Amino acid sequence: MATLSQWVAGARPRTLPASLVPVVVGTGVAAGEGQAVWWRALLAAFVALVLQVGVNYSNDYSDGIRGTDEERVGPLRLVGSKVAKPRHVLAAALGCFLAAAVAGLVLAAVTTWWLILVGAVAILAAWFYTGGKTPYGYRALGEISVFVFFGLVAVVGTVYVQVEGIPWEAWAAAVPIGLLACALLVANNLRDIPTDAVTGKRTLAVVLGDRRTRILYAACTALPYTIVLAVAAPHPWALLALLSAPLSVPPTQTVLKGATGPALIPVLGGTGRLQLAYGALLAVGLAL
């Protein structure tokens, strides 16, 4: 049986900002519209968090039973390291998906029932990232999925459940948040290029190769600052997000200087901190 600390490590806590930041930013947009509903925001945060944990356990299970994680440099994988039985990890993933679905039903009940369809698609996307016979995460589509679900869907959805409408600011804020979420995945897949290539896991990083993947990471951390300049034209306080720019320097330098293997692990933490700071500052700026 895995210990509690191993289950926590298997949930990959460094990736969790990717789920909470979009909700914070979406709530900032709603507050700027004068229509923030805090209990709905908290429920949206719960949905996002347990869905992310479910994704991580699901990936752990699917990669583990395929043998993809037998030789791994990064954080602990429960199935791949054989500290937990596959069926237990699968049960944890399904339990998280069920909790997200129940909370999502509450939000749908007080807003619109078509959110059920959005939620169902999100859960299916979470499972088939590495699950099923032809996982799209093995077909270089992971970054597109992350951009859509951890950027567009998460931010715009959070705004909608509070405002019951979609102002343009929701879309404008969703793009940089999606890019920073992609940066997390790009850093993770950059580190895993050697093992993924051997096991047949064709991530975007494997397809692009080492050098172009590093350029992609730098673009994902730089473009959000260009976008915020455009958003700041009608919303000057959005420029607060620029204060997070120094946090982008260390992880980007590490990536561009050619770090490999374990040396890339701190990049995940640095990218998570960058996303948290950028998202929090942008949320405040849009709320003001």
Side-chain angles (χ1 to χ4, degrees), residues 69-258:
D69 287 339
E70 290 182 359
E71 299 292 334
R72 185 170 177 82
V73 175
L76 172 74
R77 287 296 184 99
L78 297 166
V79 177
S81 61
K82 297 180 174 60
V83 300
K85 293 181 178 180
R87 69 174 185 271
H88 293 162
V89 178
L90 175 61
L94 295 178
C96 289
F97 292 154
L98 177 61
V102 171
L105 282 173
V106 175
L107 289 172
V110 297
T111 53
T112 177
W113 289 106
W114 62 257
L115 284 178
I116 295 176
L117 177 60
V118 176
V121 171
I123 291 174
L124 289 173
W127 173 255
F128 286 107
Y129 177 66
T130 56
K133 293 182 179 179
T134 55
Y136 66 87
Y138 285 28
R139 299 293 183 271
L141 296 173
E143 282 76 5
I144 293 175
S145 177
V146 164
F147 179 79
V148 170
F149 288 101
F150 290 91
L152 304 183
V153 172
V155 175
V156 174
T158 299
V159 175
Y160 185 84
V161 298
Q162 297 178 71
V163 177
E164 298 191 35
I166 306 177
W168 71 267
E169 289 89 347
W171 297 105
V175 173
I177 297 305
L179 287 170
L180 289 173
C182 284
L184 277 170
L185 182 58
V186 172
N188 182 78
N189 289 343
L190 172 64
R191 182 198 64 212
D192 293 341
I193 285 177
T195 54
D196 286 344
V198 170
T199 57
K201 186 175 182 179
R202 286 179 56 80
T203 63
L204 183 59
V206 170
V207 172
L208 292 177
D210 184 272
R211 184 180 66 85
R212 286 184 289 184
T213 299
R214 294 177 190 277
I215 294 172
L216 175 61
Y217 176 86
C220 286
T221 56
L223 284 174
Y225 294 100
T226 301
I227 295 169
V228 82
L229 292 176
V231 174
H235 295 281
W237 283 107
L239 291 174
L240 284 173
L242 296 178
L243 295 176
S244 66
L247 292 176
S248 71
V249 176
T252 303
Q253 284 185 334
T254 299
V255 168
L256 293 180
K257 287 181 178 179

